[in-house]
Every structure is written in C-alpha cells, then in structure tokens.
C-alpha cells in the first residue's frame, strides 16, 4: 500500500519526536527515596550518536546506580528505524563495554565508540507505537531475546512508556521452559523523570527537535 505524503511525514515526525524525548539523563530519584527498600536510585542515559554512525538516528545508552555512575550495569547502542506504523529500535551490544563506561556523561568517551565496536543483538529489538502524547514499546514478539542468568536460560520481557519528560520501564527475565520470572523487578515498573535533555545534540547533527 502506498503511504500518502502527509501520512509519511506524520510517521517520520513520530520517529523524530521519539528521538527527542529519548535523548536525556533520566532518574528515578523520587521513586527510590519514597520506597528505598524496593527501588534503588538509578540513572538511564540516552546520548545521541553522530548522524554518520548509522546514517540515521542512533543512541548510546547506559544504566547505572546513582552511587556508582562510573560502573554502569547495562550499556548498549540503538538505531531507530521508521517502519511506517511503528518505530523499530535495533539493539546492539558493545564488544568491550568497560572501555566506554561513562560515555553517557562524557562526550569525549562517546566519540571513541565506532561501528566496529558493536554487534547486533538479534531478536532483541524494541517496537514502539505512538499513543497520543506517549510512546509504548515492547520487545519484538517471539520470546527469542535470550539472556542467561543464574545458571538458567531466560527470555526478556520488556515494556516501556516514554513521554516528553518521563520514562517508565519494566524488564523481566522469564525461564524459557517454565515461563517463571527469574530476574527483574517484582515491585512494579521503574519510574524515571528527565533531569537533563540532550535533544540539542540531535539538533546539532540533524536539526530534528
């Protein structure tokens, strides 16, 4: 089916809006302080990569505990792809992630990441659909994003809601045989608020936001 120009422009605009909303430093400080026994204080950084990295919109991300920002427990690289009725985010791992720890906060480190330093995480892409003033995302279907944990093979279940100022996420690892939850939050989703926007860095290379 041919997409009319106005529809195509709307969908492209959705990708750009999602990119601008993703670009930032997010913290669940309020949630953590209100329920410290259930939620650690965590930062998520989504830092725009140069446009030429993917010839499109890409991000480096890291998640770290507030008390140990230089030792992120999760790092990744992400490429946004417009599929018309949805936005597909390819996920990549870093071959030697410790080399890039802190790149979410230090642009000098970010600049050392190259396409040769990443590898695709197949079956682990996220699919986002816009719902009014929110994007709702989940792992691509199939239960094939496999993560070994605690001696068991698990598949990732990830649900994310993004607005201009908030990021709500719930990640769980489920046993591939029993579908029992093996890891992840049992107290509900993590609720982040944007502390700083990096959308101007998207502007600098793509004039998106």
């Amino acid at each position: 089916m041919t997409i009319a120009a106005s529809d195509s422009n709307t969908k492209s605009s959705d990708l750009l809006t999602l990119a601008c909303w993703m670009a930032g430093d997010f913290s669940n400080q309020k949630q953590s302080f209100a329920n410290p026994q259930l939620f650690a204080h965590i930062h998520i950084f989504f830092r725009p990569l140069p446009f030429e990295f993917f010839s499109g919109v890409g991000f480096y991300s890291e998640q770290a505990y507030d008390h140990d920002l230089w030792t992120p427990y999760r790092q990744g690289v992400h490429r946004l792809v417009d599929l018309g009725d949805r936005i597909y985010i390819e996920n990549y791992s870093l071959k030697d992630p410790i080399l890039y720890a802190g790149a979410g906060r230090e642009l000098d480190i970010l600049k050392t990441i190259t396409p040769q330093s990443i590898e695709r995480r197949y079956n682990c892409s996220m699919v986002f659909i816009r719902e009014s003033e929110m994007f709702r995302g989940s792992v691509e279907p199939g239960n094939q994003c496999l993560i070994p944990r605690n001696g068991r093979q698990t598949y990732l279940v990830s649900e994310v809601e993004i607005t201009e100022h908030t990021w709500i996420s719930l990640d769980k690892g489920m046993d591939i045989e029993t579908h029992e939850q093996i890891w992840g939050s049992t107290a509900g989703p993590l609720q982040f608020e944007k502390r700083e926007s990096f959308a101007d860095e998207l502007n600098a290379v793509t004039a998106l936001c």
Side-chain angles (χ1 to χ4, degrees):
M1 182 179 70
T2 302
I3 299 175
S6 59
D7 291 340
S8 179
N9 289 339
T10 298
K11 296 305 177 185
S12 296
S13 175
D14 283 349
L15 183 146
L16 306 185
T17 299
L18 177 59
C20 293
W21 290 0
M22 286 175 63
D25 166 7
F26 299 82
S27 166
N28 72 331
Q29 181 183 51
K30 288 183 180 178
Q31 180 186 46
S32 174
F33 284 17
N35 294 284
Q37 72 279 14
L38 297 177
F39 299 100
H41 183 191
I42 295 169
H43 290 261
I44 299 179
F45 299 91
F46 269 84
R47 202 90 197 208
L49 291 167
F51 187 84
E52 57 269 20
F53 192 98
F54 284 122
S55 295
V57 179
F59 287 91
Y60 165 80
S61 75
E62 61 185 23
Q63 297 184 27
Y65 295 112
D66 181 71
H67 67 270
D68 195 8
L69 292 177
W70 285 104
T71 312
Y73 63 85
R74 184 180 300 173
Q75 296 165 261
V77 169
H78 318 274
R79 175 175 177 253
L80 276 62
V81 181
D82 189 346
L83 294 185
D85 62 340
R86 59 201 186 281
I87 299 163
Y88 192 77
I89 300 184
E90 297 173 352
N91 286 321
Y92 297 78
S93 60
L94 291 152
K95 296 175 184 177
D96 198 354
I98 195 170
L99 293 177
Y100 311 105
R105 294 175 294 116
E106 298 289 344
L107 291 178
D108 286 344
I109 302 174
L110 186 77
K111 291 173 183 177
T112 67
I113 302 174
T114 67
Q116 291 71 41
S117 61
I118 64 174
E119 53 191 1
R120 179 82 179 272
R121 294 182 63 207
Y122 289 99
N123 305 310
C124 295
S125 297
M126 295 288 290
V127 182
F128 281 85
I129 296 175
R130 185 163 190 171
E131 298 180 3
S132 186
E133 294 306 304
M134 177 182 73
F135 288 91
R136 190 186 302 275
S138 59
V139 178
E140 60 185 305
N143 297 338
Q144 294 299 309
C145 183
L146 302 180
I147 301 174
R149 186 71 61 89
N150 301 330
R152 300 170 76 170
Q153 187 69 283
T154 68
Y155 63 86
L156 174 66
V157 174
S158 182
E159 299 172 350
V160 181
E161 295 178 2
I162 300 172
T163 72
E164 185 175 2
H165 302 292
T166 64
W167 181 297
I168 299 174
S169 63
L170 180 61
D171 291 345
K172 297 185 292 185
M174 316 298 287
D175 186 280
I176 61 172
E177 300 293 340
T178 66
H179 307 290
E180 168 194 4
Q181 182 175 342
I182 303 302
W183 57 268
S185 173
T186 57
L190 297 173
Q191 300 178 9
F192 297 89
E193 295 182 357
K194 185 180 289 183
R195 293 160 42 103
E196 181 182 0
S197 173
F198 302 139
D200 58 332
E201 294 168 22
L202 285 163
N203 263 337
V205 293
T206 58
L208 296 184
C209 304

